[in-house]
Each structure stands twice: as C-alpha cells, then as structure tokens.
Amino acid sequence: MMIVVMKAGATTKEISAVIAKIKKLGYEAHLSSGQERTIIGIVGDGSVRQYREQFELMDGVERTMPVSHPYKLASREFHPDNTLVALNDHQVGDTRIVVIAGPCSVESRAQILETAHAVKEAGATALRGGAFKPRTSPYAFQGLGEEGLKYLAEAREETGLPVVTEVMDPESVPLVCDYADVLQIGARNMQNYSLLHAVGKAQHTVLLKRGMSNTIEELLMSAEYILSHGNTRLMLCERGIRTFERYTRNTFDLNAIPVLKERTHLPVIADPSHATGYWQYVAPAARAAIAAGADGIIVEVHPRPEEAVSDGMQSLTPERFAKMVQELRRVAEAVDRTL
Ligand code: PEP
Ligand code: MN
C-alpha cells in the first residue's frame, strides 16, 4: 500500500482525480478525510510504487508515502485522527470513557434485566452479555442463543443501554445484527477470517478482542480484514494473554494500550475481567487501563456471582462495580478524560 497525502486545501475535484487514476491503474482507493487533510490509501501489491512520481505531480497532492507495516487501513499513517465510533450518545475514541458492563452470559430474563438496571444505575454506558458462548468444553453451558438476544433487546428497551454481544460464526451475523448494537468477536475467533469478512460486510459496529496467544500485529491484521470492507465502526479490545503465570487467569498486557494507541486510530477498550480472572484484581487493572490511555472498559458484573453459570470468579457485584466507576472517574480526570 501507498498513501497519497493531499494538500490541506485540496479541492474535491483534485481528490476525485486522484481516486479516478488509482482505479484506472487497477488498484483500490480508500479515502480518509481527516480534520486537517485528506489521505488516500492505494491498496494493492508493491507494484503501485512505480507510479509514485505520477501521483506526486498531480494537482492538490502534497506527497506520497509507502506504508511499511503489514496493516494499512488500521494504521495511524493512513488515518492520523482518532476514529470515533458511535455508541448511543457516545463517540468512542473521544475524551469520554465508555463503560460496558454486564454478565458473562445471559442466564435468564430476570437476571439480565436486574443486571442492566443495576449497571445503568452505577454509571455504565452499555450492556454486555453473551447469548452465544464460546466454551472450552462442549458440555458446559453454551448460552441461550436467540432467546438470550431477545432478553438483551428487552433490557435495552428498559434501560436505554446499547447492547454488546458475541457472534461466533458467519451464519449467525444477520441474526445477531438484528438484536445487538455491537458485535463482539471473541478472543478464540480473532483469526476466524470468514467471520471477520462477514462482520466487515455487515457494516455493523464491532468489538474485536485480541486472541489469548496473538501478537498486537496479528490483532491489527485481523482489524484490517474488517476495515477492508469499508467498515470503520470498529473497536479493539485487550483482554489478557497467556503466559507462564498461574495466579491470574491471563496476564493483562497493559503495554498493548499505549502501543495500539500509537499505531492505530481505532478506539481501544480494556477487559480487566478476562485479563485477571479474579474480581479483586478487576478494579486495579481497570484503573491502570484508563491511566494508560484506554478509551473504555468492558467488565463482567453479576447480581450474585456465586450463582453465575460462567465466569463467577471474575464477576463484580453491582456494589463493587459502582465503587469502581467512582474510582475510574477520578483516574479519568487525572488523564484529561471524562466518564
Ligand atoms: C467474554 O467476553 O465473555 C469472553 C468469552 O471473552 P474472551 O473472548 O475474551 O475470552
Ligand atoms: Mn466471560
């Protein structure tokens, strides 16, 4: 890929001429209209570099630049400003932090409604809950499926909280889109390329979780699949990686937050619940995530964690969640953010 950086005052006509030339040469053009200037990405193989001078001679073009990393559309070079992802009255990636909270699994109508009201009361800005659960064992609870999606939609009606829920396979994408505001791609599916293509084509908002054994670059390459369909309604999520450490479920890769914020324009969300695995470490990890520059957090909350069918050990009670939100407000303020 190569990018064509247009001059600050480039006209629509000059921009259109560049796009037309790119198409005529047989490449794909991706437009990034920033606050200051327009950047046009030329996606194709390395052969595009032979036309560098031709593009530089065109009216309105300031310069061209080859993009050296394997991810292109996800890179800050292509899109210097933060991409803002609309979520209700939020623009994720802006200064205001989002707090997505709810149970690991939707267990019953009563459980999700009770949790939705409790997290809303405590300051959550979106509701999470899995209806399709990717479980290690085929004998463990697999989720309520469409019934669970219906309960989530009812919880949204009652509370106004947008819904984040996982989609596990390409075939279920249309169904989950009917009920969810945000499609979650779970860690185990980060490199399920047919699923990534499907959610890219769906043009629906996506929360892409980092795989437990995947590098930051691999996460960005998976984001690239979704972006390649022109779907920029995409948020990334650091949820902990596997290491030799046994006292926590995963190891929270705090480094990933500033690294991602530097390399990509996409919003970055932290999941301190899966990253630590124990409720008592969730608030400290969440505070660190906000301090490190995360645009939001996603946390598991259950009214009675001891009765949870999945991830009870890492679930906060509504009271503990409310206390954590108060703490996060102060951390947000310290780093010039709001919550
Ligand atoms: C979840 O959010 O409940 C979940 C299964 O997360 P992950 O895909 O990160 O393990
Ligand atoms: Mn979970």
Side-chain angles (χ1 to χ4, degrees):
M1 175 168 169
M2 186 166 82
I3 60 179
V4 179
V5 181
M6 302 300 293
K7 286 181 181 151
T11 65
T12 348
K13 211 171 146 201
E14 289 166 342
I15 294 167
S16 306
V18 173
I19 294 173
K21 183 176 171 76
I22 294 169
K23 290 191 178 150
K24 198 168 150 227
L25 292 171
Y27 301 103
E28 227 180 280
H30 285 262
L31 196 67
S32 156
S33 322
Q35 279 177 349
E36 288 197 7
R37 58 188 79 238
T38 296
I39 293 175
I40 304 164
I42 311 177
V43 178
D45 53 21
S47 66
V48 66
R49 291 185 192 182
Q50 67 186 297
Y51 302 108
R52 213 173 154 172
E53 286 177 1
Q54 291 192 17
F55 281 104
E56 287 188 347
L57 286 167
M58 292 182 79
D59 289 335
V61 173
E62 187 176 279
R63 66 196 143 95
T64 62
M65 230 164 55
V67 179
S68 47
H69 353 275
Y71 52 91
K72 319 280 182 197
L73 303 172
S75 75
R76 272 263 181 221
E77 285 162 324
F78 171 62
H79 194 286
D81 303 327
N82 281 350
T83 280
L84 303 183
V85 176
L87 187 60
N88 249 19
D89 58 345
H90 261 77
Q91 294 291 332
V92 189
D94 208 341
T95 53
R96 203 164 141 219
I97 306 277
V98 279
V99 178
I100 307 164
C104 179
S105 303
V106 179
E107 299 169 6
S108 67
R109 180 174 176 274
Q111 174 246 15
I112 193 68
L113 292 179
E114 181 183 353
T115 313
H117 283 285
V119 298
K120 159 111 192 192
E121 178 80 9
T125 39
L127 177 67
R128 63 149 289 149
F132 293 98
K133 295 302 301 178
R135 304 306 299 281
T136 301
S137 164
Y139 310 119
F141 177 65
Q142 303 284 307
L144 294 181
E146 187 171 5
E147 187 190 348
L149 296 176
K150 287 184 174 153
Y151 298 151
L152 283 166
E154 204 178 332
R156 173 180 49 216
E157 294 241 314
E158 285 198 10
T159 59
L161 294 176
V163 164
V164 180
T165 196
E166 180 156 354
V167 59
M168 296 210 309
D169 45 74
E171 301 75 46
S172 311
V173 170
L175 173 74
V176 181
C177 282
D178 281 346
Y179 295 95
D181 297 277
V182 180
L183 306 175
Q184 175 175 317
I185 303 292
R188 291 157 190 80
N189 269 322
M190 190 201 85
Q191 289 182 312
N192 179 339
Y193 299 118
S194 43
L195 181 59
L196 299 178
H197 277 303
V199 299
K201 280 189 202 142
Q203 302 295 329
H204 209 81
T205 306
V206 176
L207 178 71
L208 175 64
K209 298 187 93 174
R210 178 181 178 185
M212 56 191 86
S213 302
N214 286 112
T215 62
I216 294 171
E217 187 165 285
E218 285 164 343
L219 170 62
L220 292 169
M221 292 312 291
S222 291
E224 197 74 17
Y225 270 81
I226 298 168
L227 296 170
S228 72
H229 291 279
N231 185 358
T232 56
R233 296 159 67 180
L234 175 57
M235 302 177 264
L236 305 179
C237 179
E238 163 57 39
R239 47 78 73 206
I241 52 174
R242 276 211 174 158
T243 69
F244 48 82
E245 183 50 57
R246 295 279 81 94
Y247 281 4
T248 50
R249 180 179 178 183
N250 289 292
T251 295
F252 181 31
D253 185 7
L254 189 60
N255 297 349
I257 295 168
V259 171
L260 284 168
K261 290 302 294 181
E262 176 183 66
R263 289 176 176 266
T264 182
H265 51 88
L266 297 168
V268 177
I269 307 293
D271 176 346
S273 307
H274 293 87
T276 63
Y278 297 94
W279 71 264
Q280 58 274 40
Y281 309 137
V282 170
R287 297 194 299 258
I290 301 303
D295 298 299
I297 55 159
I298 179 166
V299 279
E300 290 184 337
V301 177
H302 195 288
R304 287 164 296 282
E306 67 283 4
E307 291 174 17
V309 301
S310 59
D311 291 351
M313 293 291 278
Q314 65 193 36
S315 297
L316 296 173
T317 59
E319 296 71 31
R320 289 178 175 138
F321 172 69
K323 182 166 174 275
M324 181 186 76
V325 172
Q326 294 306 325
E327 295 164 357
L328 293 182
R329 284 219 164 89
R330 291 160 56 206
V331 178
E333 208 175 299
V335 291
D336 300 323
R337 309 287 292 259
T338 58
L339 193 152

